Amino acid sequence: MEVIIAQNAQEIAVIAADLIERQLLHKPNSVLGLATGSTPVGTYRELIRRHKEKGLDFSKVTTFNLDEYVGLPPTHSQSYRYFMEENLFKHINVPPANIHVPYGHADSVLDFCAWYEEEIKRAGGIDLQILGIGRDGHIAFNEPGSSLGSRTRLKTLTEETIKDNARFFQSMDEVPRFAITMGVGTILEARKILLLASGEQKAQIIAEAIEGPITSQVTASALQLHRDVVVIVDEAAGARLKRADYYRWVYNQKRRLIPTLLGQSN
Ligand code: GLP
């Protein structure tokens, strides 16, 4: 794992956008795995800026989103589909046919999930997966206890997640209780993974996920098994990392000696 401790959320966005841009320059038809939540919004904004100002091209890109609430139509202002349209898709030139977000109104969730897995395979697998992290350590909606080999499926949300997400809804009762989510196993098959976290409310769980034991109780800890993960946190989210000085030292050495290798994992 490479751990980068950025100064603030803005710097996270720039470093993450650099890595994504490099991926697209290297492989214009990359398959990107995308996340929702407030954390990646700055990165999406930076990508939009680069698209508008520098012509960063998404015309050959394919995208797969991690998850979606069950029961919300794509037009609902709190659906993840709507979120992605507003925060990224409508501002860049990714072809609509190449966009995949789990469909929360599927007649058969089981069939839909199997189809989603197949679509990822048909696209050649995910080249670069962007992730946030929930306060309970979830990636996508893989709540504590999710199998570390899990695939795309229906998941019941925890009370903590429902409470955390209630800020986007009028009342707690409106927050969906179920979601379709890529599994931990699905996520681990991405060729490269970028985990982003900012703010002190993420400090404890980031320390557990990166430096704690690998456990299904903190599904983000499964990322320790992956050979190419870059974690970008700000000072606040990295505040409880025991080896923070080492991570800084590695990053500075790389930046000084081999700038083109930045972003490649240890
Ligand atoms: C939701 C999403 C996750 C996201 C998490 C954290 O639970 N399913 O993919 O990582 O929220 O959100 P935020 O970035 O707003 O803290």
Side-chain angles (χ1 to χ4, degrees):
M1 267 191 183
E2 173 167 12
V3 182
I4 300 174
I5 304 177
Q7 281 177 8
N8 49 39
Q10 179 51 29
E11 203 191 355
I12 294 179
V14 171
I15 298 170
D18 282 350
L19 288 169
I20 298 162
E21 179 173 350
R22 190 167 309 143
Q23 171 69 36
L24 297 187
L25 294 179
H26 164 73
K27 186 180 174 193
N29 62 343
S30 287
V31 179
L32 298 181
L34 300 176
T36 51
S38 42
T39 311
V41 170
T43 302
Y44 295 154
R45 219 174 277 143
E46 182 62 19
L47 290 175
I48 293 165
R49 190 188 67 76
R50 292 178 193 203
H51 168 68
K52 297 211 157 120
E53 292 175 14
K54 301 197 325 186
L56 181 61
D57 183 27
F58 294 84
S59 65
K60 298 189 176 69
V61 166
T62 297
T63 68
F64 286 91
N65 262 80
L66 287 167
D67 46 13
E68 177 62 288
Y69 291 120
V70 168
L72 296 190
T75 47
H76 190 287
S77 64
Q78 295 311 328
S79 76
Y80 282 174
R81 173 74 199 211
Y82 187 88
F83 174 98
M84 289 306 301
E85 288 294 336
E86 291 302 308
N87 288 289
L88 185 64
F89 297 149
K90 76 178 192 192
H91 306 286
I92 59 174
N93 63 335
V94 60
N98 293 4
I99 292 171
H100 305 80
V101 181
Y103 185 56
H105 261 211
D107 289 337
S108 162
V109 172
L110 214 62
D111 289 348
F112 178 83
C113 292
W115 175 82
Y116 205 67
E117 289 274 335
E118 276 308 308
E119 279 298 286
I120 294 172
K121 275 200 200 109
R122 253 194 295 274
I126 292 172
D127 291 302
L128 176 61
Q129 175 67 59
I130 298 161
L131 295 176
I133 185 170
R135 279 193 311 127
D136 62 6
H138 68 229
I139 45 176
F141 268 133
N142 292 288
E143 299 285 33
S146 293
S147 157
L148 300 186
S150 52
R151 314 298 310 187
T152 303
R153 68 207 184 292
L154 182 75
K155 195 71 199 165
T156 309
L157 306 184
T158 61
E159 225 182 308
E160 190 177 8
T161 299
I162 291 168
K163 270 191 206 141
D164 278 354
N165 294 347
R167 67 187 196 274
F168 301 112
F169 293 83
Q170 307 278 21
S171 73
M172 277 277 282
D173 291 342
E174 281 180 40
V175 188
R177 268 45 179 170
F178 301 97
I180 293 174
T181 180
M182 275 188 208
V184 180
T186 320
I187 292 168
L188 288 178
E189 279 173 12
R191 292 183 189 92
K192 187 178 185 81
I193 296 177
L194 210 49
L195 173 68
L196 313 178
S198 68
E200 62 182 347
Q201 72 283 6
K202 299 287 172 68
Q204 180 57 31
I205 203 63
I206 277 291
E208 287 178 38
I210 295 169
E211 295 178 337
I214 297 173
T215 167
S216 63
Q217 297 308 307
V218 179
T219 54
S221 67
L223 298 176
Q224 294 176 33
L225 294 167
H226 193 279
R227 58 193 286 272
D228 195 354
V229 176
V230 181
V231 181
I232 313 176
V233 295
D234 61 8
E235 293 283 352
R240 298 209 181 158
L241 288 168
K242 289 199 182 73
R243 294 168 68 78
D245 287 344
Y246 175 68
Y247 307 139
R248 284 197 186 93
W249 188 77
V250 171
Y251 184 61
N252 287 334
Q253 292 297 312
K254 278 191 172 176
R255 199 157 47 170
R256 199 162 59 86
L257 297 173
I258 35 176
T260 50
L261 283 188
L262 266 185
Q264 284 197 358
S265 66
N266 293 311

